[in-house]
Amino acid sequence: MADIPGHLRTCLQMGKIASLAILVSGGIVLQILACALFNNWWPMLSVIMYVLLPMPLLFFAGSDSSSLFNESDNSWINAAKFLTGASTIGSIAIPSILKHAGLIGWGALALDLSSYVVFLVAILCYLCMGDSDDYYSFI
């Protein structure tokens, strides 16, 4: 990307951020639709897991995100990985349990799980962007 002019590089980086914003807002819309279309607000319990999901990484991993992708002997990093995995499973388990209990229908379950998939795609896209710190250099 060295031969691309600066203004075009900035535009491409803004496009990456805009696409992430569109994905996240799409996930929020799907989550709200899962509740509003069926006049049942029980699927909103999944939002608790969406809020709790990044907390172990923020508290235990800190700014050293590179240690999350390798095998580490650091017990705090391992605790962060475990709690993040538990929150991820909880994001799928809560709507499934609500459906099994008869509190929500198949449509709300499908919309809730599709919201989870959209959030997961947004997180994976963010991780695939790389570790370059120049995303906000245009400000």
Side-chain angles (χ1 to χ4, degrees):
M1 280 186 100
D3 57 345
I4 297 175
H7 65 280
L8 187 58
R9 203 171 327 130
T10 303
C11 183
L12 290 174
Q13 291 167 353
M14 285 287 283
K16 291 178 184 178
I17 294 171
S19 64
L20 283 177
I22 289 170
L23 279 173
V24 170
S25 62
I28 292 170
V29 166
L30 285 172
Q31 184 69 40
I32 292 172
L33 282 176
C35 300
L37 286 179
F38 302 100
N39 200 18
N40 185 357
W41 293 92
W42 280 106
M44 201 54 84
L45 283 174
S46 299
V47 173
I48 295 170
M49 284 297 153
Y50 296 151
V51 170
L52 292 179
L53 188 64
M55 295 302 166
L57 296 175
L58 292 173
F59 294 144
F60 297 133
S63 63
D64 187 23
S65 64
S66 64
S67 63
L68 294 175
F69 300 112
N70 58 18
E71 293 187 25
S72 171
D73 290 336
N74 189 352
S75 60
W76 291 109
I77 299 296
N78 291 335
K81 289 177 183 178
F82 175 77
L83 291 173
T84 302
S87 296
T88 303
I89 297 302
S91 299
I92 298 171
I94 287 176
S96 301
I97 291 170
L98 289 174
K99 171 61 184 123
H100 181 72
L103 294 174
I104 64 173
W106 285 107
L109 176 69
L111 283 172
D112 203 358
L113 292 178
S114 63
S115 168
Y116 172 74
V117 168
V118 169
F119 280 128
L120 184 67
V121 168
I123 291 169
L124 291 176
C125 286
Y126 174 74
L127 292 176
C128 289
M129 280 186 188
D131 291 332
S132 68
D133 295 331
D134 60 349
Y135 290 118
Y136 297 104
S137 63
F138 51 86
I139 297 178

